[in-house]
Amino acid sequence: MKNIVILGGGISGIVTANKLRRKLSTDWKIILIERNPVHSFAPSFLWVMTGNREESRIRTDLKNLLVSGIELIIAEVKAINVSLKHIEINNKKIYYDYLIIALGSELAPEVIPGVDSYASTFYTLEGVVKLREKLKSFQEGNVAIVVCSLPYKCPGAPHEGALLISHYFEKKNMQDRVSINLYTPETQPMPVAGPELGKAIENRINSKGINFHPLYKLISVDSEKKQLKFENQETISYDLLIVIPPHRSPSVVRESGLTDESGWIPADMHTLETKHKNVFAIGDVTSIILPGSWNPNKPINLPKAGVFAHAQAITVSEIITSRILGRESKESFCANGFCMIEAGEDLAGFAYGNFYATPHPNLKMKHLGKLWHYGKILFEKWWLLPNSPTHFFYSTILQLGMKLLRIQIKL
């Protein structure tokens, strides 16, 4: 028996494991290694923050999301040895014929002094539950939402978070007592999307009374004085601090020799294969430089987003299946992506396009509408209930929704 080992049980790891198991005979063992036995659906964290979801509704046992015939090992990966082709867990070595690294990114708030000791976040389930309680008791003052550093996953999340918090206080008739400020080291919202889309998002933010502050690089936080220190900027006072913490690749990845100077794993932009044959990296752990850029002198990277992790998983599963079955693979990751951007009031925007386009990514944005919001809800239910009696119903509706989506994109 030969082994295909998948590291990480997030979106990309789950999709890859399920696709491979459905396509390959039992001569091939599919092994998924993940340290957390419970899967939390991260796209719904913001709804937990606003009280529209209980955390129990967006969590499920990881095994419930996997098809039968996959060996799930709940353990932390201690080492990746690509020269000897094995993984180490709990003083045990697991050898592989194919390896897919889908370990995502880890949050490192301690990198910036003062952040780890106090700040709230909506980037973890634990953090968003605590933030929900802080919002409930918040009476007045400055809510500061701060992007600590680049890159970070889900580029639309800071703006979604600001808009949903604004709507949260509007419903409580507190908008005159609460100031919301969004600080980021970026030049605009979602710079990879270009100036037109960035301006559209900024206009929506400004229309809700949210103050957007680009080119603010956080240096430190003084939690006692409740002050933020930015590089080459004035010191800012706050009453509630919400951060998008620094991101980095997991330590086991950084110690594997697979990363480059960026700290992430470089992978082929079309096949997701690393410099080692039959070793693939997908999802947030990768570093893929886009062929086009808005500034010719400043290359940009593919955003770390679930839509790309999902698509990369499909690509890699097809490539591996073709190699095993001895047939030519024409599968290629094309970096077509989309994002539903929550805007409050049960509205969402829809951005989509080709991130591999030249001379720069070619993206467009549809007008705000309830359709995009309910589409996101539908995907949540489809993802979390794969083995329920209602899954076929959600799957049918989702397929119909995707057809309508393609029609909308063409209009």
Side-chain angles (χ1 to χ4, degrees):
M1 184 172 287
K2 296 184 178 181
N3 291 342
I4 301 176
V5 176
I6 303 163
L7 307 182
I11 288 176
S12 54
I14 292 169
V15 172
T16 307
N18 286 340
K19 291 285 184 183
L20 288 170
R21 184 68 289 162
R22 291 187 177 107
K23 292 175 178 292
L24 297 174
S25 73
T26 53
D27 292 337
W28 286 86
K29 180 183 285 189
I30 312 298
I31 302 171
L32 177 64
I33 303 174
E34 164 61 38
R35 65 182 179 182
N36 194 337
V38 178
H39 175 84
S40 300
F41 189 62
S44 298
F45 285 0
L46 288 171
W47 292 334
V48 174
M49 175 188 72
T50 57
N52 295 101
R53 289 289 184 282
E54 289 297 326
E55 52 269 33
S56 59
R57 282 186 58 188
I58 65 165
R59 306 186 79 203
T60 187
D61 288 342
L62 177 56
K63 62 183 179 182
N64 294 337
L65 302 178
L66 301 174
V67 300
S68 61
I70 296 171
E71 182 179 347
L72 173 62
I73 298 176
I74 302 300
E76 185 166 356
V77 180
K78 299 296 184 182
I80 302 170
N81 192 320
V82 290
S83 59
L84 298 179
K85 300 180 69 174
H86 68 68
I87 304 301
E88 293 182 23
I89 58 167
N90 301 332
N91 298 319
K92 175 184 177 182
K93 295 178 181 178
I94 298 178
Y95 287 84
Y96 65 83
D97 297 277
Y98 289 89
L99 176 65
I100 302 101
I101 303 171
L103 288 168
S105 57
E106 68 177 23
L107 304 182
E110 69 279 2
V111 169
I112 297 180
V115 170
D116 190 37
S117 62
Y118 178 77
S120 302
T121 187
F122 43 69
Y123 265 63
T124 67
L125 185 57
E126 179 185 13
V128 83
V129 170
K130 292 180 179 179
L131 177 55
R132 179 181 61 194
E133 299 309 310
K134 289 185 178 181
L135 289 175
K136 284 181 181 179
S137 61
F138 194 74
Q139 296 300 313
E140 61 180 345
N142 176 26
V143 177
I145 304 171
V146 183
V147 176
C148 290
S149 64
L150 308 176
Y152 60 91
K153 59 185 177 181
C154 194
H159 318 97
E160 289 182 286
L163 288 165
L164 289 176
I165 290 171
S166 173
H167 182 55
Y168 176 86
F169 286 118
E170 279 183 15
K171 290 191 297 182
K172 298 176 71 174
N173 294 317
M174 293 175 59
Q175 61 267 34
D176 294 334
R177 307 205 314 260
V178 177
S179 172
I180 302 173
N181 290 272
L182 174 56
Y183 302 91
T184 178
E186 300 158 297
T187 56
Q188 64 169 67
M190 298 174 64
V192 68
E196 184 177 345
L197 194 146
K199 190 63 179 176
I201 296 174
E202 187 174 349
N203 286 342
R204 175 63 181 180
I205 290 173
N206 291 336
S207 73
K208 304 305 292 184
I210 300 166
N211 304 303
F212 179 71
H213 305 274
L215 299 175
Y216 271 69
K217 182 179 179 181
L218 185 65
I219 297 176
S220 64
V221 176
D222 187 330
S223 58
E224 291 186 4
K225 295 181 179 179
K226 290 192 173 183
Q227 291 183 335
L228 305 171
K229 185 176 181 181
F230 294 97
E231 184 178 85
N232 300 323
Q233 300 285 357
E234 71 275 18
T235 298
I236 303 294
S237 297
Y238 66 86
D239 297 286
L240 174 59
L241 174 61
I242 304 170
V243 299
I244 289 77
H247 288 48
R248 64 188 177 195
S249 62
S251 59
V252 67
V253 171
R254 300 196 304 273
E255 295 164 2
S256 68
L258 287 164
T259 59
D260 60 12
E261 62 277 1
S262 72
W264 308 93
I265 302 177
D268 184 274
M269 64 184 293
H270 297 297
T271 67
L272 288 309
E273 193 166 19
T274 69
K275 60 184 178 182
H276 300 274
K277 185 173 177 59
N278 295 334
V279 177
F280 299 83
I282 57 178
D284 293 348
V285 79
T286 60
S287 172
I288 297 176
I289 298 176
L290 299 182
S293 176
W294 298 96
N295 180 347
N297 299 318
K298 191 174 182 180
I300 52 178
N301 288 75
L302 184 73
K304 299 183 184 300
V307 64
F308 295 127
H310 196 137
Q312 289 170 355
I314 295 173
T315 296
V316 168
S317 63
E318 290 290 344
I319 290 173
I320 291 176
T321 299
S322 296
R323 289 185 184 180
I324 289 173
L325 298 180
R327 67 191 185 201
E328 182 182 359
S329 173
K330 296 182 181 180
E331 190 71 23
S332 177
F333 174 63
C334 62
N336 288 330
F338 61 87
C339 176
M340 280 87 159
I341 303 173
E342 287 289 302
E345 305 171 57
D346 291 340
L347 298 171
F350 180 77
Y352 64 95
N354 179 7
F355 284 76
Y356 278 178
T358 56
H360 51 68
N362 181 20
L363 302 177
K364 297 179 181 179
M365 188 167 182
K366 289 290 184 180
H367 293 299
L368 292 176
K370 292 185 181 293
L371 174 65
W372 316 122
H373 170 73
Y374 289 119
K376 196 169 183 177
I377 293 174
L378 179 62
F379 184 80
E380 173 199 59
K381 294 182 179 298
W382 174 81
W383 178 263
L384 289 170
L385 301 170
N387 300 312
S388 73
T390 57
H391 182 70
F392 177 76
F393 169 76
Y394 289 129
S395 182
T396 302
I397 297 299
L398 189 62
Q399 290 177 22
L400 176 61
M402 291 302 291
K403 290 180 181 179
L404 293 173
L405 177 60
R406 284 191 284 270
I407 292 173
Q408 281 286 324
I409 288 175
K410 291 178 181 179
L411 292 179

